């Protein structure tokens, strides 16, 4: 009897995370896995033995195509932090007992930094107890902040959405010819890759955003207001892209200056929101101008109608590459994307130890910003433009995109 495989999705969803699921599933089946299980709600669901046989849900080629075109996590997600197995083996003993009962030989986790931490811990514990299960990380995050990989699946589509929406906001913001400041809040806790993508809006048919504020650059509220004042002396309508995670020099998030209550998740991350609202209010109080704040929020990661074909293709490829490596005996590694050239754009996959990825963050190089740290340079645009190319149109029924989803969960 052959071994089975299991795959889970963790952390924040993206519009192409299911393409990686499709890549893992199809590659595992083609390589001889008897059953490919899916964890419902990641490791948290696995601990409750909530798993499904993916072959009963993905029965034909149409299901796979729908899966690639469906945003968010088909299997559900979680934000569950595994304890350190050196001090608490209880959870690990339970997990490995469940995996043994399911006859698992290959374990795949699709996610970001915290998900790679999970893979690293499981692979280490598996080695300690001499388990033959292969643990592989499949990269996913719109934040694009994973080390060793040129970029992460999910980022290209989110960047495409941001570029499109910023162009549309700029068109709308300039219709009246009066003083107006529009502050657009974009996701990004400590790394500004998504906010940097606002620079993509500038083109022959669009003047682009007037200022970009990244968390990599210490933020000063008074200097921000003064920059806006000076910009409005030259043009009345200003559009600014600001990361939700911009911080003051003392390390506090700007959004903490507001009176909002900010919850904390299982990993200790503060919920960041209200940055654009706070800054728009500060500008309105200090300058003679109307203001508007816009939070793109979850739209950045679930806009399946604006996905990049490049992104979907690469998301599928890293899933397949993870399965290939696991079936060849590799464990405790993450698949990374390696760029070969920008023009023509070429990218391949390679493997890296989880220790080079987990709990680390890749920041935007400040050399990719201008001297004032208000705009991105051509180097960034050359990096980002290939990732947003082409489209994979949703399958439309009755005028709306058709999705595949889990109707019931065990």
């Amino acid at each position: 009897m052959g071994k089975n495989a299991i795959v889970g999705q963790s952390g924040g969803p993206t519009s192409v995370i299911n393409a990686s699921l499709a890549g893992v599933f199809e590659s595992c089946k083609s390589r001889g896995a008897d059953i490919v299980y899916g964890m419902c709600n990641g490791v948290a669901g696995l601990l409750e033995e909530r798993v499904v046989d993916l072959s009963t849900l993905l029965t034909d080629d149409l299901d796979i195509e729908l899966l690639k075109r469906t945003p968010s996590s088909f299997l559900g997600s979680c934000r569950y932090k595994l304890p350190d197995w050196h001090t608490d083996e209880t959870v690990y003993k339970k997990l490995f007992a469940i995996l043994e009962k399911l006859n698992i030989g290959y374990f795949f986790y699709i996610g970001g930094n915290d998900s790679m931490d999970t893979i690293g811990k499981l692979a280490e514990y598996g080695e300690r107890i001499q388990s033959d299960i292969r643990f592989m990380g499949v990269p996913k995050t719109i934040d694009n902040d994973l080390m060793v990989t040129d970029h992460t699946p999910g980022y290209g589509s989110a960047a495409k959405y941001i570029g499109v929406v910023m162009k549309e906001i700029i068109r709308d913001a300039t219709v009246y010819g009066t003083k107006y400041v529009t502050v657009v809040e974009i996701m990004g806790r400590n790394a500004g890759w998504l906010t940097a993508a606002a620079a993509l809006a500038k083109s022959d048919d669009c003047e682009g955003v007037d200022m970009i504020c990244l968390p990599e650059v210490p933020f000063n509220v008074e200097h921000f207001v003064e920059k806006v004042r000076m910009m409005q002396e030259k043009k009345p309508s200003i559009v600014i892209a600001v990361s939700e995670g911009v911080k003051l020099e003392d390390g506090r998030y700007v959004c903490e200056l507001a009176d909002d209550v900010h919850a904390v998740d299982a990993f200790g991350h503060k919920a960041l929101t209200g940055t654009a609202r706070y800054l728009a209010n500060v500008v309105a109080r200090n300058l003679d101008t109307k203001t508007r704040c816009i939070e793109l929020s979850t739209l950045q990661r679930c806009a399946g109608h604006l996905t990049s074909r490049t992104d979907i293709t690469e998301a599928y490829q890293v899933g397949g590459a993870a399965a290939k490596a696991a079936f060849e005996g590799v464990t405790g590694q993450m698949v990374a994307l390696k760029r070969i050239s920008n023009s023509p754009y070429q990218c391949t996959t390679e493997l890296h130890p989880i220790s080079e990825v987990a709990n680390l963050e890749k920041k935007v190089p400040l050399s990719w910003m201008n001297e004032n740290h208000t705009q991105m340079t051509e180097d960034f645009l050359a990096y980002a433009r290939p990732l947003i190319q082409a489209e994979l149109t949703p399958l439309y029924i009755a005028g709306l995109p058709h999705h595949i989803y889990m109707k019931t969960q065990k």
Side-chain angles (χ1 to χ4, degrees):
M1 182 178 178
K3 290 286 189 176
N4 300 324
I6 193 165
V7 55
Q9 298 169 312
S10 179
T14 82
S15 60
V16 302
I17 185 173
N18 290 327
S20 290
L21 175 62
V24 170
F25 172 71
E26 290 204 306
S27 188
C28 283
K29 293 300 289 184
S30 69
R31 291 175 184 277
D34 287 350
I35 301 173
V36 181
Y37 289 105
M39 309 172 210
C40 297
N41 302 108
V43 167
L46 179 60
L47 281 165
E48 300 172 357
E49 299 189 50
R50 292 190 290 113
V51 299
V52 292
D53 180 350
L54 286 173
S55 293
T56 65
L57 302 175
L58 307 172
T59 58
D60 55 32
D61 291 343
L62 178 58
D63 285 343
I64 295 294
E65 285 306 312
L66 281 174
L67 188 64
K68 291 179 183 177
R69 290 167 168 81
T70 296
S72 190
S73 305
F74 176 73
L75 292 170
S77 189
C78 69
R79 293 193 184 276
Y80 177 83
K81 186 173 181 63
L82 276 175
D84 186 343
W85 62 264
H86 295 89
T87 56
D88 184 4
E89 288 188 68
T90 308
V91 171
Y92 293 86
K93 289 178 178 178
K94 183 176 181 179
L95 275 173
F96 276 79
I98 292 169
L99 296 175
E100 184 178 355
K101 185 163 68 173
L102 296 172
N103 192 33
I104 300 300
Y106 314 96
F107 184 109
F108 306 93
Y109 217 33
I110 308 169
N113 280 314
D114 296 318
S115 303
M116 296 308 117
D117 178 63
T118 296
I119 282 290
K121 288 175 177 175
L122 289 172
E124 283 182 9
Y125 189 77
E127 183 179 9
R128 177 180 179 272
I129 64 172
Q130 296 185 315
S131 169
D132 61 357
I133 300 174
R134 306 302 176 190
F135 294 93
M136 290 296 300
V138 183
K140 170 276 325 173
T141 174
I142 63 170
D143 293 320
N144 197 41
D145 60 353
L146 293 186
M147 298 296 289
V148 307
T149 185
D150 177 81
H151 55 282
T152 53
Y155 175 66
S157 294
K160 187 183 186 81
Y161 176 84
I162 290 165
V164 169
V165 168
M166 293 309 297
K167 287 189 72 170
E168 294 169 343
I169 289 172
I170 290 166
R171 293 277 60 79
D172 181 90
T174 55
V175 296
Y176 296 112
T178 56
K179 280 192 172 184
Y180 219 114
V181 176
T182 303
V183 185
V184 184
E185 181 176 319
I186 299 173
M187 283 182 172
R189 177 175 300 277
N190 299 317
W193 295 100
L194 285 169
T195 308
L200 293 165
K202 187 173 184 179
S203 53
D204 292 344
D205 62 337
C206 181
E207 56 270 48
V209 296
D210 298 285
M211 194 191 320
I212 292 174
C213 304
L214 305 187
E216 285 84 352
V217 180
F219 193 90
N220 184 295
V221 176
E222 292 181 0
H223 292 171
F224 173 79
V225 173
E226 179 60 18
K227 286 178 183 177
V228 172
R229 186 191 67 76
M230 293 175 64
M231 286 178 177
Q232 281 197 313
E233 289 180 355
K234 299 177 181 178
K235 56 181 289 197
S237 182
I238 304 297
V239 177
I240 299 166
V242 59
S243 169
E244 64 180 3
V246 288
K247 302 181 193 69
L248 304 173
E249 287 190 1
D250 63 12
R252 283 180 299 161
Y253 292 106
V254 169
C255 64
E256 293 183 78
L257 299 177
D259 297 328
D260 302 349
V261 176
H262 296 277
V264 177
D265 69 14
F267 294 99
H269 304 319
K270 287 183 179 179
L272 304 182
T273 185
T275 302
R277 183 169 64 252
Y278 173 78
L279 292 176
N281 288 339
V282 168
V283 169
R285 284 197 301 269
N286 287 275
L287 303 178
D288 179 24
T289 183
K290 289 185 176 181
T291 63
R292 173 189 291 151
C293 66
I294 299 173
E295 290 186 18
L296 300 188
S297 190
T298 53
L299 297 173
Q300 296 154 90
R301 69 187 193 193
C302 68
H305 62 290
L306 269 179
T307 51
S308 151
R309 181 184 284 269
T310 298
D311 196 20
I312 288 181
T313 300
E314 291 179 343
Y316 182 82
Q317 287 174 340
V318 295
K324 177 179 182 292
F327 275 77
E328 291 174 354
V330 176
T331 190
Q333 306 260 318
M334 186 192 82
V335 177
L337 290 165
K338 180 181 180 181
R339 188 177 307 216
I340 298 170
S341 67
N342 280 337
S343 183
Y345 174 67
Q346 291 180 297
C347 200
T348 187
T349 61
E350 59 184 9
L351 299 175
H352 285 268
I354 287 292
S355 59
E356 296 180 7
V357 186
N359 302 310
L360 300 171
E361 286 182 313
K362 180 178 70 178
K363 304 293 185 68
V364 177
L366 292 184
S367 61
W368 284 3
M369 298 196 79
N370 63 2
E371 291 184 3
N372 296 328
H373 294 153
T374 56
Q375 295 288 349
M376 307 311 297
T377 67
E378 187 59 40
D379 286 339
F380 169 78
L381 294 173
Y383 166 84
R385 280 183 182 131
L387 310 183
I388 68 170
Q389 296 307 310
E391 296 77 37
L392 190 64
T393 306
L395 301 175
Y396 283 90
I397 295 179
L400 296 174
H402 192 64
H403 297 153
I404 185 171
Y405 70 101
M406 296 256 293
K407 296 179 175 62
T408 58
Q409 293 185 7
K410 290 167 60 177

